[in-house]
Amino acid sequence: MQLLRFFLFRKRLTKIVKSVIIYKIKRESVENLNMPAETKAGKAIGIVLWVAIFVMALIIFVFSNMGGAVSTDVSEPFIEKTNGFVTSHIVTDLDERPDIDKYILKEQITVFIRKSAHIFEYFLLGILLYWRFRLYGVDVHRAGLYSLCVSLIFAVADEYHQTFIDGRYGCLEDVLIDSAGIVAGILISAMITVIVLQKKKRKAKKELSAAI
């Protein structure tokens, strides 16, 4: 009888130990999002991210390298379309207003389009850098911090670069606007990471409870 009890106790203990080991393995894999950089999938994703980061940085550089007149010509079609939409659906009485109001509205739209482009460019750059660092196994907080620092350095360098371009200038305001895009991209990525991690951890705990 005692031998039977010992056998059952040992069997149950072995099951618990195995469950704990499985839980730890799953927890470690969750922390790495099941995408360790040394796997084939991890390497492939890493290459894609590096290419995307390079392309994004190149796009930012090309737009910043345009002279003032060229930059205006590139953005003008977007400004005209936005202006047409606003005057048709929002400010419908613009024709009845003084010409100065039309000028002010177009200038406001121009600023909105240009600053939105800044935010969107660095929003994408922040996201790409965050996931590149995450793929290296860096935790959420440090991945956010590293991607923020790298993106900010690039933003400052980009504004400095514009001081050498005819019709362009660098300013702190644009760096702050770029920072808003960077922070937004990193925060959204971090939130997604935390949500996924929490779901996987809860699933692992349920499996552990069921195994015990």
Side-chain angles (χ1 to χ4, degrees):
M1 189 68 178
Q2 289 181 349
L3 184 62
L4 179 60
R5 286 179 180 177
F6 174 76
F7 175 77
L8 292 174
F9 173 76
R10 183 180 176 182
K11 187 177 180 180
R12 184 172 178 78
L13 182 62
T14 303
K15 189 177 181 181
I16 293 173
V17 171
K18 285 183 179 179
S19 300
V20 171
I21 292 172
I22 291 170
Y23 174 70
K24 285 184 177 181
I25 292 172
K26 286 187 176 182
R27 186 173 181 179
E28 289 175 359
S29 65
V30 165
E31 291 296 336
N32 292 314
L33 285 181
N34 293 324
M35 280 194 313
E38 64 271 11
T39 64
K40 289 184 179 179
K43 288 179 180 179
I45 294 171
I47 292 172
V48 171
L49 284 172
W50 275 128
V51 171
I53 290 168
F54 175 79
V55 170
M56 195 68 248
L58 183 62
I59 289 172
I60 294 172
F61 175 81
V62 168
F63 278 114
S64 296
N65 202 51
M66 292 178 179
V70 177
S71 179
T72 300
D73 290 340
V74 170
S75 58
E76 191 64 25
F78 300 98
I79 293 170
E80 288 298 330
K81 287 182 180 180
T82 306
N83 188 56
F85 177 83
V86 171
T87 54
S88 299
H89 299 87
I90 301 174
V91 188
T92 55
D93 62 339
L94 191 63
D95 291 336
E96 303 171 5
R97 298 186 185 185
D99 290 340
I100 187 66
D101 287 353
K102 298 177 183 179
Y103 173 79
I104 291 173
L105 177 63
K106 188 170 182 180
E107 284 299 305
Q108 290 174 336
I109 291 173
T110 300
V111 171
F112 173 77
I113 293 294
R114 288 181 174 273
K115 301 312 177 186
S116 295
H118 269 270
I119 291 174
F120 185 67
E121 287 172 345
Y122 282 90
F123 173 80
L124 293 179
L125 184 63
I127 289 175
L128 293 171
L129 283 168
Y130 171 87
W131 288 110
R132 178 62 262 193
F133 282 118
R134 280 293 293 158
L135 194 64
Y136 279 130
V138 178
D139 63 56
V140 176
H141 297 94
R142 285 190 296 167
L145 180 62
Y146 294 164
S147 51
L148 175 63
C149 291
V150 173
S151 299
L152 281 177
I153 290 171
F154 189 84
V156 172
D158 181 56
E159 288 302 313
Y160 179 69
H161 162 243
Q162 289 184 48
T163 61
F164 298 96
I165 308 301
D166 291 336
R168 304 294 294 273
Y169 61 92
C171 64
L172 180 61
E173 179 187 348
D174 282 348
V175 174
L176 295 176
I177 290 171
D178 297 340
S179 301
I182 296 166
V183 171
I186 293 171
L187 285 177
I188 290 173
S189 299
M191 287 173 62
I192 292 171
T193 305
V194 171
I195 290 171
V196 171
L197 291 178
Q198 290 300 323
K199 285 185 177 180
K200 290 190 175 183
K201 285 179 181 179
R202 283 197 295 267
K203 183 179 179 181
K205 286 180 179 179
K206 287 181 180 178
E207 290 179 358
L208 175 60
S209 299
I212 295 174

